[in-house]
Amino acid sequence: MFTTGSKLFLGATALSIVSAIVFGASVGGSAGMLGTIGLISVSVVFAFLAGINLFTRDGNLAATESDVERNAAAAQAGVGRSMWPLAAALGAGGLVVGTISKPVVFKVSFIVLLAAAAEWMVQGFSERVSADSKYNEGIRKRLLHPLEFPLLASVGAAVFIYSFSRIMLNIDKDAGRWVFMVIGAIITAVGFVFAAKRGMGKSTVAGIITVGALALVGVGIASAVSGQHPIEPHPAATAAVCLGTASEVQIEEVDAKASQSVAAKSNPLANVYLTSDEQLYALNTGIGNVQYHEITVPRSNAVHVLFHNDSAEPRRLTVHLGTFKAKDGSEGSEEAECTTALEKGGTAFLSFKINKSQLASSTPYRLTVPGVEDQEIKLLVP
Amino acid sequence: MDRSKETVSTLGRMPSTRRHWSRAALLTSVGLMLAGCANNAPQDIFEPKGENSKKIDTLQRPVFYIAGVVALIVIGVVGYAMWKFKDRGQDIPEQTHGNPKLEIALTILPAIILAGISVPTVITVFQLDKKTDAECIINVTGQQWWWEYDYATGQCGDVKIDKPIVTAGELVIPEKTNVLLRITSRDVIHSYWIPALNGKRDAVPGRLHTLRMQADQPGIYTGQCTEFCGLSHSRMRQAAVALTAGDFQKWVDNQMKDYVAPEAGSLAAEGEAVFTANCSKCHQINDLKNADGSPVLSEPDLYVVPGVAPNLSHLMNRTAFAGWTFDLLTDECRVKLWNAKPADFGAMYLKGITPECFEQVALRDWLRNPPGMKPMFVDPNNLSSTGGKYRGMPNLNLKPDQIDQLIAYLLGRN
Ligand SMILES: [Cu+2]
């Protein structure tokens, strides 16, 4: 008289009641209290669901007529062979090994286990759909292909892309260009040949593709093993350049940090303007049109300031990040960061973070423009 | 064979004991649902106390009512269908497939309702996003598991703030003033929410999100972090306190006042020494001086993950601590303050934590073992994952007499 669905929920109810009792008895304090209340709530929910399923009989009139199911022709067929129990066992084993060795083993095993469970379940189901095994196989495919195809395709694409990227990272920048062009040309050419020669056998096509794929993956693995070509960092402006005490070296990108946080661009703490007559002021985000000459900066907080240069000269904005005693007690030198030199009308981001109170520094924190005298914006760091 | 005449099942009616059960289940669930209602809930979203939350309220009420009516109709129809066509051994009812007129009607009707709701929604969204009419700016930064407030210098309503003010947990604002919070985070994503004053706003590292705050009347408005942010997320609370312009001026003056050193030789003076030795590397107390007259400077960037710890200069001007979770006020005094009439609230609040109203138990527990009150992630014996830094306040293994001295000292930080 109990339907399948209600059995599940009744079981879950019983389990959660037992867990509530065990948990409540064994864990003390407020955690025990909270956990027990949680588990009791869970059991109430399960009991409620069980009740609904009982009342509606799973919304499935045939659910209670189990004789029909047992005697059906489909139920009489033998069970076919399956590789999924083996795969599931491997996955479960890997799971255990993964917990004590590497997390990646655990993750892969988990995926294998999931996939095997799904495949096994659907196979078990499809073998009992009808007495006709061909039809059953069709049902299995119909259920699983929409899952299997995209999954296998994305695994394939991932392997392809990963191998290719390893190759590109391994070879030199200029050679890379040629390799890219040549491989692209070969793939296009092969595609043309396939399209033109309609009579070509299926196995020939498969053979060619397999050889190509194996070559790619092989070279990819070899490249991954031999490592990357060195990547040169962008040159950064030294504090001396920012403070205007060293002469300019042409720098392509200075504010490497700002480009790393794309979000910064929509969220500046303030906009700083250098007017055409070389006056410096800030608009504080949130307050309309009041010109500020000081900005309050919370400590240990990465902040972003957007600099607009409206003066005729190329100008950069420099943040003075203070002067601190070195560990050995000797007087340090002033730290600073800056934007690139901007032409008239240019804007650039300056991102910085100040960890210490202004009292800790022997020089004030502030924003200045090297080459423009008597203009500054104080940075207040409490 | 005509299937509609076929009898599908011979199962009997539900036995009467089962009906008793389902009635009991119904009563229990209604009871449980009603238990969720409370008349003294400070975080009730249906009780707006400021301009912005009122805008949300005028929008959400009609939407809620419409949605309620729609829900009742849907539930009613489903319930009726379940009851009416329950299997009692009768014939299968007539089956129909496709009814273009009905389907078109049932597509157009919700579309009209949604289009109707979207107009005021979009208008309200833009009104709540406005950020050019602020009369006061406060930087709000979340970190595991407390909020820091940095008051930017400049005008705040009618009051001029000359030096930055830093506090924690309790946001103090002038009433009837458009305050703009600039919200961000120093570690993970948090979310700032004072239900009586406005909706939520996420605090995202590297981004600055603004949130309008305005309170019609003096009073205390509570809230909590609403983005799961780690083990002690439930102990990351906050409150906004609104004061009249005059009272706000007094509060600001108090924040600016000079450091009050404890009387030499007192228990509190011993506490000052304990503080300088054990606490000042993380906690700033403004103008605290070393014996040689140099300022005592905190360097939380070297010791805690987000690089800050609460400023304790005016700890006793807040009513709760450590993520605004544990009371500094005794129950009696707290109830009085919370229930004070708007006209009396400010004066009561500005008194701060007086010795009579000081609830010592929680603060003593905190100094004895902070992670015991607020679970914190980092294992103090293995700080390698955080570069040697703590998350939250570590247990400092203070001795009982050190705690007595510290309590005496902290009581003077008002
Ligand atoms: Cu949080």
Side-chain angles (χ1 to χ4, degrees), chain A residues 1 30 34 44 48 52 54-57 61 64-65 261 263-264 266-270 284-288 292 294-302 304 353 355-361 380-382, chain B residues 8-9 11-12 14 18 32 82-83 86-87 131-134 136-137 139 141 148 150-153 162 164 166 180 182 184-186 206-210 284 295 297-302 306-308:
Chain A
M1 67 157 260
S30 66
L34 268 178
V44 170
F48 181 63
I52 289 189
L54 267 179
F55 179 67
T56 61
R57 265 168 250 145
L61 290 176
T64 44
E65 296 167 2
S261 84
S266 60
N267 302 276
L269 186 73
N284 225 328
T285 297
I287 296 227
Y292 281 81
E294 59 184 36
I295 307 175
T296 305
V297 178
R299 265 209 233 185
S300 297
N301 226 341
H304 319 291
K353 182 167 160 183
N355 289 336
K356 311 237 186 271
S357 156
Q358 58 204 19
L359 298 176
S361 163
L380 304 180
V381 185
Chain B
V8 282
S9 164
L11 287 173
M14 181 163 49
R18 238 206 270 170
L32 283 176
M82 270 171 77
W83 192 255
K86 184 171 144 53
D87 168 32
K131 35 183 152 281
T132 46
D133 59 348
C136 177
I137 286 184
N139 297 311
T141 316
E148 186 186 77
D150 289 72
Y151 289 69
T153 55
D162 300 318
V166 187
L180 193 77
R182 297 195 298 205
T184 184
S185 162
R186 289 185 174 102
R207 291 188 68 106
L208 204 72
H209 291 171
T210 56
Q284 181 86 40
L297 292 177
S298 65
E299 293 187 307
D301 48 311
L302 305 181
V308 283

Side-chain angles (χ1 to χ4, degrees), chain B residues 55-126:
Chain B
K55 283 193 180 121
I56 296 177
D57 197 59
T58 17
L59 178 66
Q60 78 179 352
R61 268 175 204 273
V63 173
F64 189 72
Y65 295 142
I66 295 172
V69 170
V70 171
L72 281 182
I73 293 175
V74 171
I75 293 172
V77 171
V78 170
Y80 173 77
M82 270 171 77
W83 192 255
K84 174 87 197 277
F85 300 107
K86 184 171 144 53
D87 168 32
R88 299 183 177 88
Q90 77 276 50
D91 293 345
I92 286 185
E94 191 195 334
Q95 307 283 303
T96 53
H97 287 283
N99 184 337
K101 269 190 209 149
L102 192 65
E103 281 165 18
I104 289 173
L106 286 183
T107 308
I108 289 181
L109 188 67
I112 291 177
I113 296 179
L114 289 181
I117 290 174
S118 73
V119 174
T121 304
V122 170
I123 293 175
T124 311
V125 165
F126 277 96

Side-chain angles (χ1 to χ4, degrees), chain B residues 145 189-191 225 227 229 233 236:
Chain B
W145 288 273
I189 301 180
H190 303 273
S191 183
C225 175
E227 180 70 57
C229 56
H233 166 62
M236 179 165 175

Side-chain angles (χ1 to χ4, degrees), chain B residues 187-362:
Chain B
D187 41 33
V188 299
I189 301 180
H190 303 273
S191 183
Y192 196 83
W193 193 27
I194 303 282
L197 300 185
N198 202 340
K200 309 170 182 182
R201 191 69 87 242
D202 274 10
V204 182
R207 291 188 68 106
L208 204 72
H209 291 171
T210 56
L211 180 67
R212 297 165 68 84
M213 279 279 150
Q214 190 266 12
D216 288 340
Q217 273 188 340
I220 188 160
Y221 309 99
T222 68
Q224 60 196 70
C225 175
T226 58
E227 180 70 57
F228 181 69
C229 56
L231 220 48
S232 281
H233 166 62
S234 66
R235 282 156 210 188
M236 179 165 175
R237 295 160 173 269
Q238 67 263 19
V241 167
L243 299 174
T244 59
D247 285 341
F248 184 68
Q249 176 77 60
K250 285 186 198 146
W251 182 81
V252 170
D253 291 346
N254 186 61
Q255 293 286 323
M256 302 283 170
K257 82 177 176 203
D258 291 338
Y259 175 69
V260 185
E263 213 173 296
S266 64
L267 192 62
E270 290 168 16
E272 184 184 62
V274 177
F275 186 91
T276 309
N278 295 286
C279 323
S280 66
K281 59 181 185 180
C282 292
H283 293 288
Q284 181 86 40
I285 284 192
N286 303 343
D287 302 331
L288 178 61
K289 300 268 190 316
N290 286 312
D292 64 0
S294 62
V296 175
L297 292 177
S298 65
E299 293 187 307
D301 48 311
L302 305 181
Y303 303 102
V304 281
V305 174
V308 283
N311 185 311
L312 298 182
S313 308
H314 300 279
L315 176 67
M316 292 298 160
N317 277 105
R318 341 203 232 268
T319 61
F321 70 96
W324 211 75
T325 304
F326 307 106
D327 281 321
L328 286 169
L329 275 180
T330 56
D331 281 351
E332 197 188 334
C333 295
R334 175 167 44 80
V335 170
K336 255 194 221 152
L337 180 70
W338 281 39
N339 294 337
K341 291 201 196 71
D344 309 332
F345 177 84
M348 263 167 106
Y349 179 75
L350 287 174
K351 267 194 250 158
I353 309 294
T354 55
E356 312 77 66
C357 280
F358 180 30
E359 164 61 60
Q360 301 197 3
V361 179

Side-chain angles (χ1 to χ4, degrees), chain A residues 95-178:
Chain A
L95 217 57
V96 176
V97 175
T99 49
I100 47 174
S101 61
K102 290 200 162 150
V104 57
V105 177
F106 183 87
K107 285 176 196 157
V108 170
S109 309
F110 187 69
I111 294 173
V112 169
L113 192 61
L114 270 188
E119 293 273 3
W120 190 359
M121 195 170 75
V122 174
Q123 191 176 39
F125 158 78
S126 66
E127 277 174 352
R128 284 281 181 278
V129 168
S130 76
D132 177 353
S133 61
K134 272 238 178 69
Y135 174 76
N136 291 354
E137 178 57 17
I139 289 286
R140 195 195 74 82
K141 286 184 179 157
R142 191 152 10 143
L143 270 174
L144 283 180
H145 279 177
L147 263 174
E148 285 173 351
F149 285 176
L151 256 173
L152 289 178
S154 43
V155 169
V159 169
F160 186 90
I161 293 169
Y162 190 75
S163 309
F164 193 66
S165 68
R166 288 315 98 180
I167 298 174
M168 295 308 282
L169 280 174
N170 182 254
I171 53 184
D172 164 276
K173 203 162 83 180
D174 298 307
R177 241 173 257 160
W178 289 104

